[in-house]
Amino acid sequence: MHEMSIVASLFEILEAKARENQATKIVGVKLKVGKLAGVVPEFIASAFDIYKQDTIAAEAGLEIEEVPLKMRCRKCSAEIVQEDYSLLCPSCGSTNLEILEGMDLFLDKIDLEI
Amino acid sequence: MEKKVIQVREEILGSNKKIAADIRAKLEAAGVLVVNLLSSPGSGKTTLLERIVEALKPHHAPAVIEGDIETERDAERIRRKGVPAWQITTGGACHLEAKMVARLLPEIPAETRFLFIENVGNLVCPAGYDLGENLRCVLLSAPEGDDKPKKYPSAFATADCLILTKSDLFPVLPFDPERAAREALEINPRLRVFITSALNGVGIEEFVRYLVESREALLQGRRHA
């Protein structure tokens, strides 16, 4: 349950972006959450609703897109989208995979009012 | 009033990653191998560390950062071995972050060769935070059960090695070390697997050798870079 500290880091970025753009309000936030990022989207949403009170994002809606684990095999170049958690190339059995997506948490976009 | 959409595409934990990269660069330059130990509470991180630092101490100057929610107890246990140790108490937070480690860097003695960071006992949250380590080791103890890797995949997916601890209990528990290793390897086939018992010393020497070789490889890599 570290979703609250993730949301705290998110708000550091949100507040900086709002300042940069001289926004009066943040009305929408979209996140991309990797399947292997180790967080529960519902908990992020609850933490966001608690944290946003009395901030510039008090009325903001939150959209979360879940990103599956996407990898490329360094041996056979296959692109792999994994539903379960396996770091093995299904085409050639290689373990030499480059993770392209699905490990991280991204702030994708912000809707502002200026 | 004007509406504006800004495409940010920024990693939420990006600032943690930056601090971690900085720690890694600084300590690598100083010839220190950094090891982040992850596991559930009670799987034997501190007890294993006591054994490891005892084995390393004569030739390889270890140091330890202990992460816990409360108390100074674990750092005291390591200090009793004559090894420098610092306690980070998170006051409730379930994981360590790179900035907590960065604050301690000035205190690490110049002769240090190995820095161990014992994360807060938790098999989920610490996995998302790079602390600047060169090796991430996840521990799984026999009493926890051999079905844990698939239930908590992030920790196993991001680790370099798996240590099955408390092997002295294998004979009396329904724990199949092969199944535990197989489950973990299905998630992450690159894991090095070790079996240890801090009680009777099984596997300690082999793991210490792995640490020493990993540090040599790190130094070699720097020379070739």
Side-chain angles (χ1 to χ4, degrees), chain B residues 101-177:
Chain B
V101 174
R103 276 184 218 127
L104 289 172
L105 289 190
E107 298 190 34
I108 293 167
E111 69 271 19
T112 304
R113 293 293 166 258
F114 291 89
L115 176 65
F116 297 93
I117 305 170
E118 181 183 333
N119 222 307
V120 179
N122 180 328
L123 203 47
V124 184
C125 310
Y129 291 84
D130 185 353
L131 300 181
E133 69 265 24
N134 304 105
L135 289 180
R136 181 176 286 196
C137 298
V138 56
L139 279 69
L140 176 64
S141 67
E144 291 169 65
D146 50 25
D147 61 342
K148 290 298 171 289
K150 292 240 162 132
K151 290 166 90 170
Y152 300 92
S154 305
F156 297 90
T158 58
D160 301 289
C161 73
L162 166 67
I163 310 172
L164 300 174
T165 60
K166 308 189 188 181
S167 71
D168 47 282
L169 291 175
F170 289 173
V172 293
L173 290 172
F175 179 90
D176 178 356

Side-chain angles (χ1 to χ4, degrees), chain A:
Chain A
M1 249 305 279
H2 60 305
E3 282 76 1
M4 198 47 118
S5 50
I6 286 169
V7 168
S9 303
L10 168 66
F11 270 81
E12 281 176 24
I13 306 175
L14 289 179
E15 277 159 7
K17 295 288 172 191
R19 261 197 313 275
E20 265 171 44
N21 290 277
Q22 291 163 336
T24 53
K25 237 193 232 182
I26 295 176
V27 291
V29 174
K30 185 180 171 195
L31 308 182
K32 287 192 173 184
V33 175
K35 182 150 183 175
L36 217 60
V39 296
V40 184
E42 288 85 347
F43 289 175
I44 293 273
S46 315
F48 183 84
D49 284 338
I50 296 165
Y51 207 99
K52 73 179 184 182
Q53 293 169 27
D54 304 317
T55 71
I56 193 163
E59 293 162 36
L62 178 70
E63 186 192 342
I64 297 178
E65 182 187 327
E66 289 190 65
V67 181
L69 186 60
K70 196 169 152 194
M71 298 174 291
R72 185 186 298 120
C73 178
R74 289 199 179 96
K75 202 171 157 209
C76 76
S77 305
E79 278 220 358
I80 306 149
V81 177
Q82 212 57 294
E83 282 311 313
D84 62 351
Y85 303 99
S86 171
L87 305 183
L88 188 73
C89 175
S91 316
C92 74
S94 169
T95 58
N96 193 357
L97 304 177
E98 180 192 358
I99 296 177
L100 303 173
E101 274 184 353
M103 291 293 283
D104 296 309
L105 287 154
F106 274 91
L107 168 57
D108 188 45
K109 61 175 186 162
I110 314 173
D111 292 359
L112 300 173
E113 281 182 11
I114 294 166

